[in-house]
Structures are given as C-alpha cells and as structure tokens.
Amino acid sequence: MRATVLAALAIAAVVPLVTAGLGGGEFYLGFATRIVIFAIAATSLNLILGYGGLVSLGHAAFFGLAAYGVGILAAHGVDTAAIQWPVALAACAVFAAVTGLVVLRTSGIYFIMITLAFAQMLYFLFVSLRQYGGDDGLTIATRSRLGPIDLGEPVVLYYLSVLCLVGSLWFCHRLVASRFGMVIRGARTNTRRMAALGFPVFRYQLVAFVLAGVMCGVAGILQANLTQFVSPSYMAWARSGELIVMVVLGGMGTLFGPVLGAAALLILEEVLADWTVHWMLYLGPIIVLIVLFAKRGLIGLFDRRSPPPAGGHHG
Amino acid sequence: MLELLVSQALNGIQLGVLLFLMAAGLTLVLGIMNVVNLAHGSLYMVGAYLAAQMTAVTGSFLLALPMAVLATLVLGLVLEVATLRTLYQRDHLDQVLLTFGLILFFNEVVRVIWGPTALFVPVPEALDQELEFLDGEIIYPAYRLAIIAVGLAVAAFLFWLIARTRVGMLIRAGAANRDMVAALGVDIVRLNTLVFGLGAGLAGLAGVMAAPILAVESGMGDGILILTFVVIVIGGIGSIRGALVAAVLIGVVDTMGRSLLPMILRELVDRQLASAIGPAVASMLIYILMAVVLTLRPQGLFPARTG
Amino acid sequence: MLRLSGVEAAYGSSNVLFGMELEVGAGEVATLLGRNGMGKTTTIRTIMGLVKARAGSIQFEGRELVGLAVHRVAQCGLGLVPEGRQIFPNLTVRENLIATAANRFGTANPWTYERVVGLFPRLAERATNMGNQLSGGEQQMLAIGRALMTNPKLLILDEATEGLAPIIREEIWACLSGLKALGQAILVIDKNIDALTRIADRHHIIEKGRLVWSGNSTGLVADPQLLSRYLGV
Amino acid sequence: QQQLKVGFVATFSGPGGALGRDLYDGFMLGIEQSGGRLGGLTTEVIREDDQLRPDVGLQVTQKLLQRDRVDIITGVVFSNIMMAIYQPIIESQTFVISANAGPSEIAGARCSPFFFSTSWQNDQPHEAMGAHLQRRGVGAAYIMAPNYQAGRDALTGFKRQFKGRILDEVYTTVNQPDYSAELTALRAARPPATYVFYPGGMGVNFVRQYAQAGLTRRVPLYSAFTVDATTVDAQGEAALGTFGTAFWTYDLATGTNELFVRSFLQKHNRMPSTYAAQAYDSARLLHAALTVSNLGNKDALRDALRKADFPSVRGPFRFNNNHFPIQNFYLYETVRDAQGRFVQANRGVVLENHRDAYASQCAMRW
Amino acid sequence: MAEPLLEVRSLRKRFGGLTATDDVSLRLHEGELLAIIGPNGAGKTTLIAQLQGELRPDSGAILLSGAEITHLSPPERAHRGVARSFQITSIFPDFTALENVAMAVQAHAGHSFRFFRPAASEPELVEPAAAALARVGLAQRAAVPAQALAHGEKRQLELAMALAAKPKVMLLDEPMAGMGRLESERMVALLDSLKRDVSILLIEHDMDAVFALADRIAVLVYGRIIATGSADQIRRDPAVREAYLGEGHG
Ligand SMILES: Nc1ncnc2c1ncn2[C@@H]1O[C@H](COP(=O)(O)OP(=O)(O)OP(=O)(O)O)[C@@H](O)[C@H]1O
Ligand SMILES: Nc1ncnc2c1ncn2[C@@H]1O[C@H](COP(=O)(O)OP(=O)(O)OP(=O)(O)O)[C@@H](O)[C@H]1O
Ligand SMILES: [Mg+2]
Ligand SMILES: [Mg+2]
C-alpha cells in the first residue's frame, strides 16, 4: 500500500518533467491536469457512492456550480481566490445541504433520480441566465489570484490540482475508517439496524453529502481555472453519469479506484478519438468488456487482495 | 379556450402513452428483474431505425411495424444472453456501467450504418389525416390517436400478464429471490430472458410508433430514457399501474406546463420577465414534479410492495 | 433414493464440506444433525445446486445431480423449505403458493392450495396479504406449504420449525408423520431431536463438514455419548 | 516553410455530427480544388472532435495549438464551443477561420485581428427573414426557437427587421422532440405567418409535426437553419413550400458555385449544404491569401485574408471591419426538383451586401 | 412496588382490518426478565417494534423510567437505553463480527462526528466490542466478515450487538431461533447472567428456555394478553395450553 502510494506520488510529481520533454508538452500537461481534476470529482462522488451507497446522478451540479462561482465573481471583477473560492465552495455546501434534506429521504433508484432532478433544475437555471452567457457559457478573463502563486503558469495549476487530489484522497482515507465513516458505511448496507442501534442516519448522510459536494466543488474551481471558461454543460446529467462511470470503472468503495477510473476513461477517449471519428464504437464495447471481466473495476486487476465489494443494493 | 384545453390534454395523453410504452418495458426490467438497463433508450432508437429501414424496403409502415418490433425483441434477447445475464447477481452500478457502454456503441453503430443525418419514416397513408371533432373546433392527427390506442391496448395486456398470470407471479417472485424460484423448479434464466425480450420489444414498439412523428437519429433514445426513468420513479418502480398513471401525468403536466405556464406568467409578471423565466420553469417542471412527489412519497405514487 | 458420496464444497476459498456422505431411502425420513455452522445448510444447498460441488457425486434416483442447473435439480423432484424461510415478499400468500406449484409426476392426490390451507388455516386468513406482512411463524408455514405444492418426491426441510409455536410445531411433526405414512421421503434438519427420533428412520450427524455417524433412532438414543459429544445435548 | 498545418475543430459525434461532417467535407473539397495544396503549401488537416462539449473543445484546441502547432484553426459548428476556445486561440496569435459559428460577442466588443468568419454573424439570416416578411407586408407573426443563446439571438435578429406584431414568442426546451402542445397553441392563435429557428433534429421534428397537424397549408412556415440539405431528406414532403433565408443556395449561378455543387455531388453523392459551402469558402479564402502572402508574416497574411480576393460560391463577398462577411442574403423555397430531390430553390435576394448589427461595437479598423 | 422500568399502557396497533396489538398493557421491572409467548402472528414482533420505535402505535403510551417515550424516534430510544435484537437477522454483512459490535458500542459512546481517527484503533470502541463478542462465545470469530458466519453465529452476533450498547432494556426477538442445543444452553446461561444488570423482554418459542429464564411470562394471543404469571401458573393455565403450548409441555 505504502509503496503504491509513493510510486503514484512520484509519477504525479514527474509528469511535468516528462511532458516538457514531449513536443507540445503544454497540452499534455493540461490534459494531465484535467485528469487530476476529474479524479478529484470522482473521488468526491466515491465518498457517498462507493462508501455510503448513495448513487447520485447529479454530482456534476457541484462541479458546475463551483465553476460558475468562480466565473460569475470574475465577471464582476472579483478575482482573488480568497473571496472566489470560499464563496464557490459555500454555494456547493448550501446547495448540497438544501437538496440533501429532500433527496436523503429516498433511497435506491429513487435517490438516483431525485438527485438528477435537482441537478437538472440547476442546469436549466444556468441555461436561462442570459447575463452569464446562458448556454453559450461564460469566458473567465483572468484566473483566480492566489497571492504570489501564479495559476496562469500551467505547471503551477497542475501541482495545485495534484495537491488537492492528494488532500482529497487523504481525507477520504481517514474519513472512511473513522467513526463517522463507519456510520456511513454501515448505513449503506443496513439502515434499519443503524437506527435501532441509535444512529440518526439521516444526519450523517447529510453531512457526507455536503462534504462530497464541497469536495467536488474544489474540482469545479480548478476546472474553471484550467479552462477559463464555464458553461451549463459542465453540470449536464451526462457529466454526472460520466463521474459514476469513472468511479465504477475504477472500482467503487476503494480509495484509488476513482482516480484510476478517471484516468482510464479520459485517456481512452483521447486515444480513441485521436484515432477514429467513430471512437464511441470502440469505447462502448471496451467498457462492456471491463464490466464483464474486471469484476471489481480496474483496481481489481491490480490489487487482488482487497475484499470484494459487498453484495448488491439493499433498498 | 375549452377546445384548446381538450386538444392540449390529448397532446399530453399521447406523449404520456408513448412514455408509457417505454416505461412499461423499463419498469419490468428494472422493478421486476432488478436490472438497471440504460440501453433501453438505445433499443427504442434501434426500433425507430429498423422501422425506417424496413419501411423503405417494404414500402409499408404497417408491414415494417411487426418486423421492427420483432427484430428489436430479438436484439434484446441477444443482449441479455451475451452481456446482461452475467450481471444479475452483481451490483446495480455494474449494470449501469455496462449498459452505458452499450449506449455509446449503439449511438455510433447507427451512425456508421445509416449515416449522421436523420432518417425519414412516412405516416401510414390511412392515418395521414387530421380528424375533426366538435365541428372542427378540435383538430387532431389520426396517427397520434392511433398511438394512444396502441398504448392503451399494451397497458391492458400488461396488466393482465403481470397481475393475473402465473408467468406474472413468477416474474415478480424472481425479482425478489432468484435462487428460491430456481430451487422450486422454475427456469429463472429463461424467464428473465423472456422478460428482457418483452421489455426490449416494448421499447422497440415505442420507437417504431414514434418514428413517423420524430426525427430518427442517433441519440434519440437518450432524452426519452431520462424521461422514462422520471416516469417509473414517480409511478413507483415495478408497478405497471404506476407507470401508466405517471406517464400520463408527466405527459399532461409537461404539455400543459409548456402551453399554459407562459400564458399564466404573462398575466402575473411583465412580459420581459415572463419570457425569461417561463421556458426555464417549463423545462424544469417535470423535475419539480418529481421532486415534490418523492418528497411526499419517497417510494413513488404506487410503491410496488417489495421487501 | 438420494445418495451423496465424497461431496466437497466451499464458499470462495473456504472449504465447508469435506467428503460429505449421506443417504435417504425411498419413503424414508432421514435427518441431518450437527451443531451450528457444521455444514448442514451447505449440504442442502449443494444438493440443490445452489452451491457448486467441487468433488464427489450426488445421485438422486440413479441420476447424477452434480452439474445440473438449480431448476433441473428441483424438477427431479426435490422440494426445498429453506433456512430463513425465503418466501417471496412481493407476492400475496396465495400467489406464493400457486406461483411455483406443479405436479410433475402426476401424483394421484396432489397437494393443492386447498389442502395446504387446510393444513395451515392461518394462511387462509392471510391469503391476500403480501409475504412480508406475515409474522415469522406464518412465513414458515408458507414456506412449507410452498414446497409441498411442488409435490416433490423428496421434501427437504432446513430448520422448518424454527420460530413456530410449540403447538404448531407439534402439528408439523404430526404432518410429517402423516406424509411419511403416505410414502413421502423427507430429509430434515432440526434441533428437536426428541421429535426427530420419533419419526425418523435414519440419522446423520455431521461435524465440520464430515459425516461422523449415521444410523437409526434406536442407535442414536442408545448412545448418549453421541448426543453430548456432537450435539451438545 | 513548405507545410501548412490546419486544425479542424468541429462536432463529429452525437446529434450535431452531421454538421461537422458537412463542414469537413466542404473544406476538404476546397483543398482538393487546389490540388491538395493551399497557397502551394502541402496541407495537412488535423481533425478533432469537440463532442459538442466546451471543455473537450478546449482540450482538443489546446492539443492543436500546443502539440501539433497548427498554423490555422478552422471548422467550429457551435457558438458555445467557439466561445470556449476563442480566447486561447487568440492569445496564441493563431488565425481562426470560423466556418460556421458567429457569436455576437466576437462580432462586436471582443472582435480580434486573428478571427475571420466565412459564414455569417448568427443574427444575420434571421434578420434577412425579418426583412423579407416586413417587405411582404405580413402584419403579424408567431415566432419560435429553442431556449438557448442561439435561439434567443435568432428571434432577436428577426425582430430587429420585422416590425409587425409578434403574436407570441415561444421558447421550447433544447432538443425537445415533441411540439404538439406548442402547435396546438399556435393554431389557436391563428397567425398569418410562422417563423422558427430549429436546427438539426429539432427541425426535422418540428417541420414534420407542423405538416402533420395540417398547419403548412394554413399558416406559411418561414425559418432559418431549419430546412436545409442536412435535414430535408428526413423532413420529406413536410418541407415542401416552406421558406428560408441563407447567404447561399445550391442553384446560385456563379461559376464557382456550379463547380462546387457538381464536384460535391460527384464526390459524396449528396447535395451540399450551406455548411459545406461555408467551409469550402474557408479553404478557398485560405488558398487565395496564402498564394499572395506566407505563414511567416502574420500581418501580411492578415492583410491578404482581409482582401478576400477569391471567388466565393455565394457571389459578392468582402469583409467588414470585424472580419465578418458583407454579403447578400437570399430567400429560398423548398421544392422537389426534376430528379425528385428535395432542394432549396433560390427565390431572390432579400438583403443586399448586408452587414451584421454588431460591427459598430468592434474597435478594429482597417 | 417500585416504579417499573418499562411500562406499556393500552397499546393498540392496527394493520388494515387486523388488530395486531390490542390494548396491551405491560410492566417490566428493573432486573426482571419478562417472557412474551404466544402463537405465530399473535403480535409479539409488532409489540417489540412499537417499543423500539420502528412502528408507531395507534394509541396508548410507552414509558421508560416514568418518562414517556411513545413519540421518540428509534435512535433517541436507543440512546435512552432501549436495545433490540431482530427476529430476522439484521447485521452489517460486509463488516467483520468485531466491527459489527463496535458499531453498536459507537452508537452508545455518543457522538460519532469524528472524521479522522480510525475507529479500529480506538480502544474505547474495540475493547467493549471484543468483550461483548466473548460474552456470547464468538471471540474466535471476531475477524470473520459477518456474512460468512453460520446462521446460529449470526444470532449470537445479533445479541452481542444488543449487549454492547449497555442498554437498560433489551428487547430480544427469538434470540434462540436457529440455535442448536449447545448454543441454546449457552445462551440461556448468558441471559441468566445478564438478568441482574439489564431488564429483558424476551420473545421465544423455545419453552425450555422460557421456563428456565422467565421471572414472569405474559401470553399474547391475537394481539391481547390472555394471561400473565409465573412459569408454573402459565404452564398450568388451560387457556394457554389450548392456544399455544399444546400437550407436549406438561
Ligand atoms: N455465504 C457464506 N460465505 C462464506 N462462508 C459461509 C457462508 N455461509 C456459510 N458459511 C460458513 O460455512 C460453514 C457451514 O455453514 P452452514 O450454514 O452450512 O452451517 P449449518 O450447519 O447449517 O449451521 P446452522 O445450524 O447455524 O444453520 C460455517 O462455518 C459458515 O461460517
Ligand atoms: N406491515 C404489516 N402489514 C399488515 N399486517 C402485518 C404487518 N406486519 C405484521 N402484520 C400482521 O400482524 C400480525 C402480527 O405479526 P407479528 O410479526 O407481530 O407476529 P408475532 O407474534 O411476532 O409472530 P411470530 O411468532 O410468528 O413471529 C400477523 O398476522 C402479521 O401478518
Ligand atoms: Mg443451517
Ligand atoms: Mg415475530
């Protein structure tokens, strides 16, 4: 475990050096940053989906909301990170808390669909916001100002993203083993028993939901800075679906699965699309094969020891 | 005004019935077999493409209809045997992932075979006319009435099948406990394949029926898939009755919302604002409806009584 | 009628059955005894094909069951009342009974809905309730009735009296005796050794997935050592 | 430098894919006309799919700029993609020739010396239709579009020229498949004319349902980007008798156009669309400019592009100060031609040498 | 007489046309083991579910140490010392046996909004959990995932979880079901030893266990209590014999 972590860190650290060596390194660095950002988003989803059994099909809403937080403030001339980022994250927290009050009353497929409903409402709201570009999106003139750190420098943005990812992973790692994490995981398999034992499960799930939303917001902030652009398509349901795909593809309920899933999906898309216009013709069956043969997601191919994820849905 | 309301109600019902055809298949497969099949929308799309192809070949939509439905049903069987069968015991999310892969594949396959532009399916000649009611106050396309009729017939058939027949009982029992059904001597594997085929056939039927009024193009199943999920969730997963009620409810609410909401808003607020928020709220309406229903009844309107 | 020899089975990598042996003759009532966790249920599940046998053979009326699909095994004439009842929660009581009913061997006086509710009148009262609305004991009756309605050649009961009121339990023993009198073969797991010694012809005691003793009731009662050593009585 | 690298960004997958394909086929045909060498340079076209996702569009654009170091970027179907990739392209001082998207911001305040359009500013075709109805003396119209930026811009453009009464202005959900509710309301309003903007599959649905509701006969249907070569086969007879406006039709009798249409038909066995025509012109424009300048000197290249000294398929063509074309807009009617094909027949000029409404907001002067 | 620990006053619960609990009144005293017996479907589990809070009674009141708890949620009742074991085994299948019990300890240990410290390294969770496991005889199985336990072992685990919360009242729904003789006897001994520290409401069809353990027995038939008394009184009660015991238990 420790060795794997160190190796992964080492790889992440040298990416800029390697890409600098390639022709057009900036692109590859940008691409790597994108992977890292989506890995953060997928990790945040994994927190509630993989460990908590809460399958949200509206998770991209937080991604888009935070990105809009940055974009809208920037459009009004507020570009210091010290204001932008807390506001963006607070928006995510509030949205998560308010919707969480409703969605957490349901479970199973109902939960999937009601999270989708709220995300769609937000999506249509931003499509209609003409002041902020509506469906055309909003260009962000300058990246967030973060004291002496210049996010305009791709390498800096990359390392910042990696730092955020490491932070998210570490946070998750500690969280799932903690008392709080035990409650969340217990509630996944047997909510009724949790209540009988004396846990007000709803409250714990709500906190987890908010935490995951905020963590996804971090990814959104980084994405806004990477692309200097934000549009409602960031929170379309298909994006939420893609996050689920990343988590499940990599291995849900495992720490590194979502990271692997994000990297695999984005790289596959990139390579296949580079090669043929009909890339979906190949991506689709590849995903099917992975599901059929890598039972616990990609991570299962690497780590044969970790226990199989426990049975299906109970609810 | 009344004529307008009646026409709009017909529109809503027709949309609802089309949704029901989709939702019935999906609710069978999801609620009863406990399989999340995102490729349901793809089967709808394939049904529409096959209808287009076979209409072009045979020159008759009415001939193409059973052929396309049957072909989609067979495709469903093949899919079930080749991929989904191994996934019944696995997590829902594995099924989500797998069928997501299938969506990508099918969306691209139809583009490779039939090209990226939409295909044309003519309305069958006999139905290509408007019917007039109430001295021409209400004009309604005959074909859309035919859709309503087909949908209601299918609904009646399904009610009978699920609630009254042994096959229906076994299907429900299999949803709850596959092993036990098998241990009592029933070939659950074949049963599930048949149910999946039935669901696929229904999706295909929806696609075929929709082909003459909608653009037959790649990705046409994605939007309706989401709507279908909304329907079965509002109706209560696994409940055919819920699917029917919710489908019509969604159809009517969506239709009324689109046509009446902007009018009402315009009475209440100024025109500028109304035209800004009207369409936005209209597109959110079904999601708002779903959120309200699930807030009040977290298991949908007609919770299928599973354990 | 049923003969297991050298059967091995496992859950994942942990072996549970190690060369299990068992025999039930036609028209016989046989038991499977043993403490908790010794592999009784696993033996049953292996017979039914719900757990794959890794080695050995399971013969039923001369037919090899190993390798058959679960429903094929059942169709050979095995009727299961599983541990933990496993009734269908989303079917009504009546539907639970008739959904899988069958008379594959043309029994002259088959178990029907009427006969089963005659045996368990409580079920008739709850006929239109969903399975999951029944009390634990009612569910147990339902599970027995459901198995009977497949009109099996061999009825297998895994802890079928668990959670039943003593008076009902007595009725079930009486019912089993009655079935035996009709020539029904039965394999039963239960902790009521007193009752079992009354009606059973043959007993098997298992320990850690192995047969450690088998014989008739007289032999079992005659050897108190056996009971205390393997069954803790 | 002997080599020209062109990055071609467009939507190739998903429902918008047909447009990307037409752009690409048109552009490649344009290159073929100069023997595969634009301005005498060996030309390599690197095609990238933006998947109609701004972040993907941005990513592939960055790949083109940073890894492939392309000299020119062209293509771009949708405005939201253009908005996402515009800034990085301009910052890298790479020329971008939009073959389709023409958002108002880029035509106005955010115009750039590195941006050129061979299509039109988004509002223009709608303005043309507005002008046409105005001139015909149609007193009132019922207008509809999808509820997104381009849809709202379209109706704004229409209203800019049309001064009659707007009976209702209806915005529908993007990619809404069924319009029965809206059509019922439309019928109840008894308008003398309908104007809509429904591109792609939406147009197929709308036009067919309009006909099926028996409306085509009662209320004439005017539109832009709703009935064109990419949709008309799926619309079939429903499209007959509807009118549209565009800067080009297949039957324009310029010599270049006849050549273009003939070779396109021959090569692809289908009628070219306006998208193909625009992209073809992009290639021809590049060819002309590169013939008289070179890639090394960006100022010279810009001057050459500005001259637009090439035979456009549309006839007269020159650039406005914001690098959008000043061009004619034509009315077309969808008819069945001698071979039984559904085609857009030119019915005359509506606006002559038309300039877009935003050019005045563009600070660029030359 | 001292104030009862748990008091039930005229509890009533209907399911449609069926009255599952019909005007039931009960008192459970400190340190007492009250057994409730009755035919299948008499309403025993329904009664427990109302005491634990999963079901809301239609009318009547439930008092714990004199304070009304009728309208509290299950977690709130758990915090006041009401623990329940389920008739149909209800555990966390993918946690180990030890973790299952640790969950129960944690619930009792108060607030669980601790995000960082690994729960597995907190002695105040693990030690009581291990002790509870040992008490039910599952010490050797601590590290086994709960889903891999045999049926009888799951029942023991279920009890360990109820125990671990250090409750005042334990509501045990057929804890012996599915246990072999040996295990049953061990369980009887265990409950016997527990009796002094915690009051127990026991539902059980195993009459040997009931007669060995119960201080008092209440007999529930069709939702009504038809008899209450000592083991001997109940054993001899003809109504009880007819409705429940049959002739086997003389
Ligand atoms: N699903 C499973 N996965 C892994 N191990 C299992 C599983 N089910 C049972 N076991 C193990 O197999 C062994 C035998 O279990 P089995 O259920 O057959 O025992 P049993 O004799 O029926 O016990 P009981 O009297 O408690 O029902 C036990 O040690 C148990 O832990
Ligand atoms: N949710 C419900 N809806 C309708 N009826 C129910 C419901 N839950 C229980 N019942 C009925 O209420 C009655 C009492 O059930 P309960 O589970 O309390 O019985 P019990 O005394 O625990 O029986 P057993 O000893 O068999 O477990 C039964 O007839 C049962 O069918
Ligand atoms: Mg067992
Ligand atoms: Mg009970």
Side-chain angles (χ1 to χ4, degrees), chain A residues 179 183 197-200 204, chain E residues 79 103-114 125 165:
Chain A
R179 289 188 175 202
V183 179
L197 284 178
F199 293 105
Y204 291 87
Chain E
H79 282 295
M103 280 306 301
V105 179
Q106 188 181 326
H108 173 70
H111 79 111
S112 288
F113 284 98
R114 284 199 193 164
L125 294 185

Side-chain angles (χ1 to χ4, degrees), chain A residues 140-165:
Chain A
I140 302 169
T142 52
R143 294 195 162 93
S144 306
R145 273 195 297 112
L146 188 64
I149 303 170
D150 179 12
L151 295 183
E153 199 55 56
V155 183
V156 174
L157 188 58
Y158 170 78
Y159 279 122
L160 179 69
S161 304
V162 170
L163 198 69
C164 289
L165 176 60

Side-chain angles (χ1 to χ4, degrees), chain B:
Chain B
M1 192 62 201
L2 183 67
E3 296 80 40
L4 188 61
L5 279 181
V6 173
S7 301
Q8 294 294 27
L10 275 177
N11 288 329
I13 292 170
Q14 182 265 315
L15 175 61
V17 160
L18 197 62
L19 285 175
F20 169 73
L21 286 181
M22 286 292 285
L26 195 62
T27 235
L28 277 179
V29 171
L30 171 62
I32 294 178
M33 289 169 60
N34 207 13
V35 171
V36 182
N37 177 24
L38 297 186
H40 201 68
S42 299
L43 292 166
Y44 164 86
M45 173 181 74
V46 169
Y49 267 99
L50 290 175
Q53 179 73 59
M54 290 174 182
T55 309
V57 172
T58 64
S60 157
F61 177 78
L62 293 180
L63 264 180
L65 181 119
M67 288 164 65
V69 171
L70 206 67
T72 318
L73 190 148
V74 171
L75 176 67
L77 294 181
V78 172
L79 276 187
E80 200 273 346
V81 173
T83 60
L84 277 162
R85 176 170 288 184
T86 52
L87 291 192
Y88 289 135
Q89 311 293 52
R90 304 245 300 263
D91 197 285
H92 272 164
L93 283 170
D94 282 341
Q95 301 160 359
V96 166
L97 189 57
L98 183 130
T99 49
F100 174 81
L102 291 178
I103 294 185
L104 296 185
F105 176 73
F106 280 113
N107 276 346
E108 201 58 41
V109 148
V110 297
R111 286 158 52 82
V112 170
I113 300 178
W114 287 288
T117 49
L119 298 192
F120 176 78
V121 182
V123 175
E125 202 122 337
L127 295 173
D128 194 7
Q129 50 180 312
E130 301 111 54
L131 302 179
E132 304 198 353
F133 307 95
L134 296 181
D135 305 324
E137 287 296 339
I138 297 174
I139 301 175
Y140 206 69
Y143 184 75
R144 287 182 184 251
L145 278 184
I147 293 183
I148 296 181
V150 168
L152 295 182
V154 168
F157 167 73
L158 288 176
F159 277 127
W160 171 78
L161 179 76
I162 297 298
R164 296 270 175 269
T165 66
R166 280 257 308 253
V167 172
M169 288 175 206
L170 287 176
I171 291 170
R172 282 180 285 146
N177 194 334
R178 286 172 58 83
D179 278 351
M180 207 49 230
V181 173
L184 289 163
V186 176
D187 188 348
I188 183 78
V189 176
R190 199 177 59 193
L191 188 69
N192 274 343
T193 308
L194 286 179
V195 173
F196 196 88
L198 178 64
L202 285 172
L205 177 62
V208 175
M209 294 305 291
I213 51 176
L214 300 185
V216 177
E217 58 182 347
S218 169
M220 68 184 285
D222 302 356
I224 197 165
L225 175 73
I226 288 292
L227 225 53
T228 306
F229 269 106
V230 172
V231 164
I232 64 174
V233 161
I234 289 184
I237 293 165
S239 162
I240 295 280
R241 180 165 55 136
L244 183 61
V245 172
V248 174
L249 183 70
I250 289 278
V252 171
V253 165
D254 186 52
T255 304
M256 292 296 179
R258 272 152 47 198
S259 54
L260 300 185
L261 195 72
M263 279 207 249
I264 295 168
L265 276 175
R266 224 169 297 153
E267 301 296 316
L268 299 178
V269 298
D270 78 59
R271 201 188 164 96
Q272 198 69 36
L273 190 62
S275 80
I277 58 176
V281 176
S283 28
M284 287 184 213
L285 208 56
I286 58 163
Y287 296 103
I288 295 173
L289 178 71
M290 174 159 77
V292 169
V293 168
L294 291 189
T295 307
L296 300 177
R297 304 191 57 138
Q299 299 289 301
L301 293 177
F302 298 94
R305 287 171 282 185
T306 45

Side-chain angles (χ1 to χ4, degrees), chain D residues 251-304:
Chain D
D251 52 358
L252 273 179
T254 63
T256 327
N257 193 41
E258 281 156 6
L259 174 67
F260 163 66
V261 172
R262 193 169 356 102
S263 13
F264 193 95
L265 253 175
Q266 197 170 14
K267 182 142 193 232
H268 298 291
N269 196 25
R270 66 176 198 267
M271 290 296 278
S273 62
T274 52
Y275 305 98
Q278 292 152 204
Y280 181 82
D281 266 5
S282 305
R284 304 312 299 148
L285 167 69
L286 269 176
H287 176 66
L290 285 169
T291 311
V292 299
S293 69
N294 63 66
L295 285 170
N297 186 341
K298 293 198 169 166
D299 291 335
L301 179 55
R302 182 178 309 110
D303 285 340

Side-chain angles (χ1 to χ4, degrees), chain D residues 149-327:
Chain D
Q149 201 60 36
R152 289 185 293 255
D153 288 351
L155 298 195
T156 310
F158 178 83
K159 289 188 288 182
R160 194 173 286 135
Q161 294 280 345
F162 179 74
K163 300 302 173 204
R165 210 151 66 82
I166 301 295
L167 291 175
D168 204 349
E169 181 174 343
V170 175
Y171 292 98
T172 53
T173 305
V174 178
N175 286 333
Q176 177 178 318
D178 189 70
Y179 297 90
S180 52
E182 289 78 6
L183 292 176
T184 301
L186 185 148
R187 182 203 302 276
R190 302 181 195 282
T194 304
Y195 177 67
V196 301
F197 164 64
Y198 279 118
M202 287 189 276
V204 175
N205 289 330
F206 183 87
V207 172
R208 298 203 58 196
Q209 292 168 19
Y210 195 84
Q212 282 165 10
L215 282 166
T216 323
R217 279 177 282 120
R218 295 163 217 227
V219 187
L221 179 62
Y222 301 91
S223 66
F225 304 108
T226 305
V227 182
D228 62 27
T230 62
T231 61
V232 75
D233 286 334
Q235 287 158 335
E237 292 182 9
L240 288 180
T242 68
F243 292 90
T245 37
F247 71 95
W248 169 91
T249 56
Y250 83 106
D251 52 358
L252 273 179
T254 63
T256 327
N257 193 41
E258 281 156 6
L259 174 67
F260 163 66
V261 172
R262 193 169 356 102
S263 13
F264 193 95
L265 253 175
Q266 197 170 14
K267 182 142 193 232
H268 298 291
N269 196 25
R270 66 176 198 267
M271 290 296 278
S273 62
T274 52
Y275 305 98
Q278 292 152 204
Y280 181 82
D281 266 5
S282 305
R284 304 312 299 148
L285 167 69
L286 269 176
H287 176 66
L290 285 169
T291 311
V292 299
S293 69
N294 63 66
L295 285 170
N297 186 341
K298 293 198 169 166
D299 291 335
L301 179 55
R302 182 178 309 110
D303 285 340
L305 286 167
R306 279 173 173 173
K307 289 207 184 72
D309 188 11
F310 75 105
S312 164
V313 292
R314 67 197 92 185
F317 180 112
R318 72 199 151 88
F319 279 116
N320 204 348
N321 67 312
N322 59 355
H323 293 176
F324 275 81
I326 301 172
Q327 57 190 336

